Each structure stands twice: as structure tokens, then as C-alpha cells.
Amino acid sequence: MFGRRESGVLLHPTSLPGAGGIGTLGEAALAFLSRAAKAGQTVWQVLPLGPTGFGDSPYQCFSAFAGNPLLVSEEGMRAEGLLPEGEAREWAGGDGGAAARVDYGAVIGRKAAVLAGAHARFREGAGGGEMRRAWEAFRGREAAWLDDYALFAALKEAHGGAAWTEWPVELRDRDAAAVAAAGDRLAESVERVAFAQFLFFRQWDAVRAHARGVGIRVMGDLPIFVAHDSADVWVHRDGFLLDAAGRPTGVAGVPPDYFSETGQLWGNPLYRWDEMAKGGFAWWVERMRSALGLFDVVRIDHFRGFEAHWEVPAGAETAAGGRWVPGPGAALFDALRDALGEVPVVAEDLGFITEEVVELRRRFGFPGMRILQYGFGGDPAENEHAPENHEANSVVYTGTHDNDTIAGWFSGTPDEAARSPEEAATERDALLRRTGGDGREIHWDAIRVLMESVAETVIVPMQDVLGLGSDARMNRPGVAGGNWGWRMAEGAFGEAEAARLAEETRRADRG
């Protein structure tokens, strides 16, 4: 699909440095892209960009179409006259220092107040005529999802953050008169939510334009499942396995695996694929159309779920008692291709993968994924992650957002269920033999092995470019709190790091 040897960096925008307590779509994003381009990189991979809910996970969003308002840049709003010049530009909540992490509780409240102020000033005439015309065009263009999401978010705020299943029955069940009355009653809040979306997409478009200008494509992330407490499920209940009160009758997860002895219980509602098929998978077509408007390439998380997904009974405490249930298979991707043409998809095909999953991926020519950290255990002849077994039509990583950093993996105590201390030592030795190094620069040794792969595309998490340890890990699957908070220190990805990455890229004939 990619057609050439290339490399890129995985860095979610929340991890960018800067004032305000969280990375945003401002100057730091543009500076990162410029430096990545000078380092010979041609791909920037991000995690899902939707509005995050409980747990701050970008894989549990309030909408599959909306953007995360926490990413809206205050400097960008100020430049467009939506924030007063005299307002404090710095915030003690975190400036991307060496040990900085996102304090979501503090950031959410502060950003909501800033966005509300920007909306109020816009209503008073700030921003100018061009912005007002762009705002009206945005509302018209995105109305199919924007109106429902803005009302959902306004209702959620009005009900103290309660899930939609806890709202009054007439709103829970979307009685037409009740929904219309709520829209009238909450009109200002609805517009405020929609305006934050306008700002997000306006700034994201500017970031995308800068990426194109420096020769970088953006790879986005599309989770297979959506959160139960989302506008998507509230509006499209017929497409999900729910009871009469809107509660899931079965939820998503995965069986016991590398990360957990009891599996992973995600809790997302499952699709009624038969009902979606009757409508030509229209919701999925629009979801993919939206993703292709945001990204150049779309990584589909948990691709194997389209062949068969792990269904866990609602109320179960772990995922261990689930069962495999068939998914839509090729029918969904045929519908996407018929509606949108050939879609540039990367299939996340990790975990328990059957021949049927491999056949589905190959039928549509989608690259799969391979992880270097998994490449040094077991029988090398049978290990598809081993560097000598990589395929050209694949994307390979030192690790993903779910893995430890390569430095942490190499030197730390293993915390994955399937990796004993003895196995960890064997894998470390195998990597050292492969690289010929002594482990002092294990991240660069691993990156060199990765770059030499026959795979067309390699992606390195920024934490591995910087050689950071386990405390810089983005996510620990199965652990409820403390995730998604890592931020890159100001100046960490400097000229020296970019030059070294460029050297490794050139040496492997990438970029």
C-alpha cells in the first residue's frame, strides 16, 4: 500500500510539550513536524483524536466523529482574537518539563472555562468575518454528526456527567418532542460544544497542512468499538446489542493474552452486524469517510474483531468467560470500498490471529503490524515478529502505545503475564546478539534493527527515539488509572536526536 521504504514517529498530540498542562495543536505540533521531517521521517502516527471520557483513554470517546477539545491550542485562539492578549499565557499545571504528566482533572476544568470564554467573545463579534463564514460552513458540512453530538454533550453536562442511560426515560429513548425541547432549552450550551469542535477541526486542518508541506503523512487510529456512553450509541441504538433500557447485553474484550491472565475486559457494546448490513453499513461508511478527512492513512485497532470478536456476558468481572462470535468479514470492507474506493488501511492484527483473519487482511491488501519486542522469544522460525520473518507489506514497531518502552523492556522487570524473568533474559540476549551492541544504547540498537527490516514502513514511538524508561510508558493494558499522561520534555527532541534518527533512516534507505 505504501509502495516505498519509509519511517515515522508515534507521538500523540497530548504528549507534546508546552504550557497549559497538555499538548495541543499549536506551535509545538508544527515544530515537531518540522523537526521530524528534517530527521527524514515521512509518517506521523497519532492515537484516536476523539473527546475522552472516564479514564482519559482515547479508545473510549464520547463520539467516533468529534475531536478532543482539550487539544485546542490557546495560543491559536489568542492569535485569532478569541482570547485577550493580557490573559496569562503560562499555567503552573505543567509545561512539558522533564517529569511532566497530564493532570487531566485540572486540565479538563481549565480548558472548559477557556473555551467557554472564547465562545462568548466570538458571539460578541471576535474572530472576524472570515471565521464567522468558516463557522457557518463547518456547521452545515458536519451537521450529520455535529448536531447530535453537541446536544449529547450539553445534556450530559446538564445531568452532572451522568451516562445517557441514567437520563430521564424520554431523553434516554430520544422521544422526538423531548429531544427538541432539550435542544431549545440548552441552545447556548449546544452551540458552545459545537464551537469547540469548530476550533478543533480548524486547528487540526492547519496542522495537517503543515504536515503536507514538510512531506509527512498522518496515520490516525480508528478503534473497532465505540464507548457505550457516547453520542453514537445514544443515537444509533439499533446498531448495538442493548436491552430495552439501553444497557449492553454483551461487551467487548479479548481472552487471556500477553498482557493479562484473565483477558482484557473493555466493556464496549457490541455491534448488531446483521442490522448494520441491512443498511449497507452506512454508519461505518460515514465513520471511515470522516477518518479519511482527518488522516492520510487509517490504522484500524483490533482488526481481528471483524472476522470474529470476543463477546463477554454483561456484568462479568473478567473477560475469561467470553466466546468468539463471527463478525461481518469481507462484507463490511466491500461496502467501504464500494462507497469510498480503495481505503488506505493498516490492520492491527496482533493477539490471537487465525488463518481466517490473515485471509481477510490479505484479501484487501491491508498491511499488518509486527512488534520488535515480540521478535526474540520462542522458535524464531515460527515467530512472525522476528525480524527475519517480516513481510514487505507490513508496518513494524519497536513497540506500540500498549507496550513498555524498548529501554524499559530491555532493563526492567517484566510485567506482562506471559513473560517470565528467564524468558526476558533470553530475549535480551537475543537482541544483543542481533545488534552486536552492549546495551548501553539499546534504543538506537533496536531502532537500527527495525530500520533494516524488509517492511516498507517502520514506526518508532517517540519514547524510544529518546531512550526513555518504563516511567514514560503511555498505557498499561488492564490497569485502570495512571495511563495516557506521558509528555515529552521541552527540547527533548532536539537537533542531536533528530540528526541521529536521520542517520539511521538514511542508512536503511528510508525517507
Side-chain angles (χ1 to χ4, degrees):
M1 182 188 73
F2 293 93
R4 60 171 177 157
R5 287 174 64 78
E6 62 180 351
S7 62
V9 175
L10 168 59
L11 178 68
H12 196 49
T14 58
S15 296
L16 289 163
I22 191 170
T24 66
L25 307 178
E27 290 299 324
L30 306 184
F32 159 72
L33 285 166
S34 295
R35 180 141 290 172
K38 290 181 179 178
Q41 306 312 293
T42 55
V43 180
W44 176 28
Q45 182 175 338
V46 300
L47 304 182
L49 295 177
T52 52
F54 178 76
D56 310 310
S57 170
Y59 294 89
Q60 297 284 349
C61 292
F62 292 129
S63 168
F65 296 82
N68 190 346
L70 300 181
L71 293 175
V72 175
S73 162
E74 292 178 39
E75 62 195 359
M77 288 188 280
R78 187 174 294 107
E80 297 208 89
L82 298 175
L83 296 181
E85 283 295 329
E87 190 168 297
R89 294 170 182 252
E90 302 294 331
W91 178 46
D95 62 354
R101 292 185 65 83
V102 180
D103 180 352
Y104 281 96
V107 167
I108 289 169
R110 180 179 185 275
K111 186 58 70 75
V114 170
L115 288 168
H119 176 240
R121 293 181 186 96
F122 178 73
R123 286 169 64 95
E124 295 168 357
E130 184 279 329
M131 177 176 277
R132 198 158 302 277
R133 289 189 294 273
W135 157 243
E136 294 299 336
F138 172 78
R139 293 194 75 175
R141 184 174 65 250
E142 307 296 337
W145 65 266
L146 180 63
D147 294 347
D148 288 327
Y149 170 69
L151 179 57
F152 170 86
L155 281 167
K156 191 169 181 63
E157 179 183 321
H159 290 91
W164 64 268
T165 49
E166 305 302 317
W167 299 348
V169 172
E170 63 273 15
L171 291 173
R172 181 197 73 185
D173 294 343
R174 291 183 54 82
D175 173 78
V179 168
D184 291 339
R185 183 174 67 255
L186 300 172
E188 185 172 343
S189 295
V190 169
E191 184 180 279
R192 171 167 43 81
V193 172
F195 186 70
Q197 289 301 305
F198 166 67
L199 294 177
F200 169 89
F201 283 94
R202 186 174 174 87
Q203 292 187 0
W204 178 251
D205 286 347
V207 170
R208 282 286 309 283
H210 187 79
R212 286 192 295 271
V214 298
I216 290 181
R217 290 185 298 165
V218 180
M219 185 192 303
D221 199 318
L222 190 151
I224 181 175
F225 298 115
V226 298
H228 175 247
D229 189 20
S230 66
D232 309 285
V233 181
W234 179 56
V235 174
H236 302 284
R237 281 174 63 170
D238 289 348
F240 298 87
L241 289 173
L242 308 172
D243 64 18
R247 296 182 296 261
T249 57
V251 297
V254 292
D257 62 7
Y258 184 82
F259 295 108
S260 173
E261 294 177 343
T262 59
Q264 297 178 48
L265 184 60
W266 297 336
N268 306 76
L270 299 169
Y271 297 108
R272 294 183 63 189
W273 288 117
D274 55 342
E275 288 298 316
M276 288 192 161
K278 291 176 184 177
F281 299 101
W283 181 84
W284 266 97
V285 168
E286 292 311 309
R287 187 182 184 196
M288 182 60 75
R289 192 193 310 277
S290 175
L292 293 175
L294 287 171
F295 312 119
D296 301 295
V297 180
V298 178
R299 171 194 179 271
I300 298 184
D301 190 59
H302 198 58
F303 178 82
R304 74 102 52 245
F306 294 109
E307 195 282 321
H309 58 267
W310 189 249
E311 179 179 309
V312 183
E317 294 185 0
T318 75
R323 64 188 182 109
W324 291 108
V325 177
L332 171 63
F333 295 100
D334 283 335
L336 293 175
R337 185 171 56 188
D338 290 345
L340 304 170
E342 296 295 335
V343 289
V345 162
V346 170
E348 187 271 289
D349 55 347
L350 306 176
F352 177 70
I353 302 300
T354 64
E355 285 298 322
E356 290 79 8
V357 178
V358 175
E359 182 181 343
L360 179 64
R361 177 179 65 78
R362 289 180 174 168
R363 174 173 175 171
F364 292 92
F366 299 153
M369 287 176 51
R370 299 296 176 261
I371 309 301
L372 191 67
Q373 288 184 28
Y374 300 160
F376 300 98
D379 182 355
E382 301 295 327
N383 186 348
E384 63 186 359
H385 298 281
E388 59 268 27
N389 297 331
H390 292 170
E391 297 178 354
N393 189 34
S394 61
V395 183
V396 298
Y397 299 74
T398 48
T400 73
H401 62 277
D402 283 334
N403 293 106
D404 202 344
T405 66
I406 198 69
W409 173 89
F410 182 78
S411 62
T413 300
D415 60 358
E416 290 86 359
R419 187 170 178 244
S420 68
E422 294 76 19
E423 289 168 330
T426 298
E427 293 172 14
R428 287 196 296 268
D429 289 343
L431 176 57
L432 287 177
R433 288 195 303 272
R434 178 87 187 198
T435 65
D438 57 12
R440 285 183 294 182
E441 284 193 319
I442 195 62
H443 60 299
W444 288 118
D445 292 340
I447 288 171
R448 186 174 304 113
V449 172
L450 194 75
M451 291 284 186
E452 292 171 350
S453 170
V454 300
E456 289 181 348
T457 304
V458 302
I459 302 291
V460 184
M462 178 54 75
Q463 294 96 317
D464 289 346
V465 174
L466 302 179
L468 301 179
S470 298
D471 57 350
R473 187 169 177 168
M474 194 64 168
N475 180 47
R476 287 178 169 81
V479 177
N483 292 317
W484 316 112
W486 176 75
R487 295 188 72 196
M488 179 168 61
E490 192 77 56
F493 186 41
E495 291 185 6
E497 292 77 16
R500 183 69 180 272
L501 185 57
E503 176 187 350
E504 300 296 345
T505 303
R506 286 193 299 270
R507 178 181 293 161
D509 193 26
R510 297 185 182 274

PDB file of all heavy atoms in Angstrom, residues 50 72 129 161 217 234 237 288 300 402 436 479 504 509:
ATOM      1  N   GLY A  50     -10.528  11.621  19.446  1.00  0.00           N
ATOM      2  CA  GLY A  50     -11.856  11.961  19.939  1.00  0.00           C
ATOM      3  C   GLY A  50     -11.862  12.495  21.364  1.00  0.00           C
ATOM      4  O   GLY A  50     -10.858  12.428  22.087  1.00  0.00           O
ATOM      5  N   VAL A  72      -7.323  21.755  21.723  1.00  0.00           N
ATOM      6  CA  VAL A  72      -7.387  23.081  21.118  1.00  0.00           C
ATOM      7  C   VAL A  72      -6.325  23.978  21.755  1.00  0.00           C
ATOM      8  O   VAL A  72      -6.220  24.087  22.977  1.00  0.00           O
ATOM      9  CB  VAL A  72      -8.795  23.692  21.290  1.00  0.00           C
ATOM     10  CG1 VAL A  72      -8.820  25.124  20.767  1.00  0.00           C
ATOM     11  CG2 VAL A  72      -9.829  22.843  20.548  1.00  0.00           C
ATOM     12  N   GLY A 129     -14.985  38.330  10.178  1.00  0.00           N
ATOM     13  CA  GLY A 129     -15.933  37.791   9.207  1.00  0.00           C
ATOM     14  C   GLY A 129     -15.511  36.464   8.609  1.00  0.00           C
ATOM     15  O   GLY A 129     -16.346  35.586   8.372  1.00  0.00           O
ATOM     16  N   GLY A 161     -22.917  14.970  34.267  1.00  0.00           N
ATOM     17  CA  GLY A 161     -21.981  13.991  33.732  1.00  0.00           C
ATOM     18  C   GLY A 161     -22.506  12.573  33.695  1.00  0.00           C
ATOM     19  O   GLY A 161     -21.778  11.654  33.317  1.00  0.00           O
ATOM     20  N   ARG A 217       2.985  12.335   6.046  1.00  0.00           N
ATOM     21  CA  ARG A 217       1.611  11.852   6.067  1.00  0.00           C
ATOM     22  C   ARG A 217       1.223  11.519   7.500  1.00  0.00           C
ATOM     23  O   ARG A 217       2.060  11.098   8.305  1.00  0.00           O
ATOM     24  CB  ARG A 217       1.462  10.601   5.199  1.00  0.00           C
ATOM     25  CG  ARG A 217       1.587  10.851   3.716  1.00  0.00           C
ATOM     26  CD  ARG A 217       1.316   9.592   2.927  1.00  0.00           C
ATOM     27  NE  ARG A 217       2.271   8.542   3.232  1.00  0.00           N
ATOM     28  CZ  ARG A 217       2.092   7.269   2.896  1.00  0.00           C
ATOM     29  NH1 ARG A 217       0.989   6.889   2.294  1.00  0.00           N
ATOM     30  NH2 ARG A 217       3.019   6.371   3.177  1.00  0.00           N
ATOM     31  N   TRP A 234     -26.082   6.359  21.744  1.00  0.00           N
ATOM     32  CA  TRP A 234     -27.344   7.016  22.105  1.00  0.00           C
ATOM     33  C   TRP A 234     -28.223   7.232  20.876  1.00  0.00           C
ATOM     34  O   TRP A 234     -29.428   6.995  20.914  1.00  0.00           O
ATOM     35  CB  TRP A 234     -27.032   8.350  22.786  1.00  0.00           C
ATOM     36  CG  TRP A 234     -28.220   9.151  23.196  1.00  0.00           C
ATOM     37  CD1 TRP A 234     -29.246   8.761  24.008  1.00  0.00           C
ATOM     38  CD2 TRP A 234     -28.512  10.511  22.824  1.00  0.00           C
ATOM     39  NE1 TRP A 234     -30.157   9.783  24.165  1.00  0.00           N
ATOM     40  CE2 TRP A 234     -29.729  10.871  23.444  1.00  0.00           C
ATOM     41  CE3 TRP A 234     -27.858  11.448  22.032  1.00  0.00           C
ATOM     42  CZ2 TRP A 234     -30.295  12.132  23.292  1.00  0.00           C
ATOM     43  CZ3 TRP A 234     -28.411  12.704  21.893  1.00  0.00           C
ATOM     44  CH2 TRP A 234     -29.625  13.036  22.508  1.00  0.00           C
ATOM     45  N   ARG A 237     -29.009   3.297  18.485  1.00  0.00           N
ATOM     46  CA  ARG A 237     -29.174   2.133  19.359  1.00  0.00           C
ATOM     47  C   ARG A 237     -29.456   0.854  18.586  1.00  0.00           C
ATOM     48  O   ARG A 237     -29.044  -0.233  19.003  1.00  0.00           O
ATOM     49  CB  ARG A 237     -30.305   2.386  20.362  1.00  0.00           C
ATOM     50  CG  ARG A 237     -29.874   3.261  21.512  1.00  0.00           C
ATOM     51  CD  ARG A 237     -31.011   3.634  22.431  1.00  0.00           C
ATOM     52  NE  ARG A 237     -31.634   2.496  23.100  1.00  0.00           N
ATOM     53  CZ  ARG A 237     -32.512   2.608  24.085  1.00  0.00           C
ATOM     54  NH1 ARG A 237     -32.865   3.815  24.500  1.00  0.00           N
ATOM     55  NH2 ARG A 237     -33.031   1.548  24.647  1.00  0.00           N
ATOM     56  N   MET A 288     -15.733   5.895   8.374  1.00  0.00           N
ATOM     57  CA  MET A 288     -14.493   5.829   7.614  1.00  0.00           C
ATOM     58  C   MET A 288     -14.307   7.087   6.764  1.00  0.00           C
ATOM     59  O   MET A 288     -13.186   7.600   6.644  1.00  0.00           O
ATOM     60  CB  MET A 288     -14.478   4.586   6.732  1.00  0.00           C
ATOM     61  CG  MET A 288     -13.187   4.416   5.927  1.00  0.00           C
ATOM     62  SD  MET A 288     -11.688   4.276   6.946  1.00  0.00           S
ATOM     63  CE  MET A 288     -11.887   2.589   7.565  1.00  0.00           C
ATOM     64  N   ILE A 300      -6.653   0.552  11.780  1.00  0.00           N
ATOM     65  CA  ILE A 300      -7.848   0.032  12.443  1.00  0.00           C
ATOM     66  C   ILE A 300      -7.415  -0.835  13.612  1.00  0.00           C
ATOM     67  O   ILE A 300      -6.794  -1.891  13.443  1.00  0.00           O
ATOM     68  CB  ILE A 300      -8.738  -0.773  11.479  1.00  0.00           C
ATOM     69  CG1 ILE A 300      -9.243   0.119  10.346  1.00  0.00           C
ATOM     70  CG2 ILE A 300      -9.913  -1.375  12.236  1.00  0.00           C
ATOM     71  CD1 ILE A 300     -10.201  -0.581   9.400  1.00  0.00           C
ATOM     72  N   ASP A 402       0.720   0.375  23.820  1.00  0.00           N
ATOM     73  CA  ASP A 402       0.396  -0.600  24.862  1.00  0.00           C
ATOM     74  C   ASP A 402       1.625  -1.295  25.431  1.00  0.00           C
ATOM     75  O   ASP A 402       1.524  -1.985  26.447  1.00  0.00           O
ATOM     76  CB  ASP A 402      -0.561  -1.666  24.313  1.00  0.00           C
ATOM     77  CG  ASP A 402      -1.992  -1.188  24.195  1.00  0.00           C
ATOM     78  OD1 ASP A 402      -2.370  -0.272  24.951  1.00  0.00           O
ATOM     79  OD2 ASP A 402      -2.730  -1.723  23.353  1.00  0.00           O
ATOM     80  N   GLY A 436      24.772  -6.808  18.087  1.00  0.00           N
ATOM     81  CA  GLY A 436      26.207  -6.736  18.334  1.00  0.00           C
ATOM     82  C   GLY A 436      26.576  -5.639  19.311  1.00  0.00           C
ATOM     83  O   GLY A 436      27.755  -5.340  19.494  1.00  0.00           O
ATOM     84  N   VAL A 479      -4.799  -1.940  33.406  1.00  0.00           N
ATOM     85  CA  VAL A 479      -4.625  -1.073  34.573  1.00  0.00           C
ATOM     86  C   VAL A 479      -5.509   0.149  34.387  1.00  0.00           C
ATOM     87  O   VAL A 479      -5.379   0.870  33.398  1.00  0.00           O
ATOM     88  CB  VAL A 479      -3.145  -0.662  34.736  1.00  0.00           C
ATOM     89  CG1 VAL A 479      -2.992   0.307  35.902  1.00  0.00           C
ATOM     90  CG2 VAL A 479      -2.276  -1.894  34.937  1.00  0.00           C
ATOM     91  N   GLU A 504      20.133   7.032  11.014  1.00  0.00           N
ATOM     92  CA  GLU A 504      19.628   5.660  10.956  1.00  0.00           C
ATOM     93  C   GLU A 504      18.645   5.480   9.794  1.00  0.00           C
ATOM     94  O   GLU A 504      18.597   4.413   9.170  1.00  0.00           O
ATOM     95  CB  GLU A 504      18.947   5.290  12.286  1.00  0.00           C
ATOM     96  CG  GLU A 504      19.835   5.360  13.505  1.00  0.00           C
ATOM     97  CD  GLU A 504      20.983   4.363  13.470  1.00  0.00           C
ATOM     98  OE1 GLU A 504      20.932   3.431  12.647  1.00  0.00           O
ATOM     99  OE2 GLU A 504      21.938   4.533  14.244  1.00  0.00           O
ATOM    100  N   ASP A 509      18.070   3.303   3.952  1.00  0.00           N
ATOM    101  CA  ASP A 509      17.444   3.692   2.682  1.00  0.00           C
ATOM    102  C   ASP A 509      15.950   3.940   2.842  1.00  0.00           C
ATOM    103  O   ASP A 509      15.128   3.456   2.080  1.00  0.00           O
ATOM    104  CB  ASP A 509      17.699   2.625   1.617  1.00  0.00           C
ATOM    105  CG  ASP A 509      17.343   3.125   0.207  1.00  0.00           C
ATOM    106  OD1 ASP A 509      17.392   4.348   0.000  1.00  0.00           O
ATOM    107  OD2 ASP A 509      17.000   2.288  -0.644  1.00  0.00           O
TER     108      ASP A 509
END
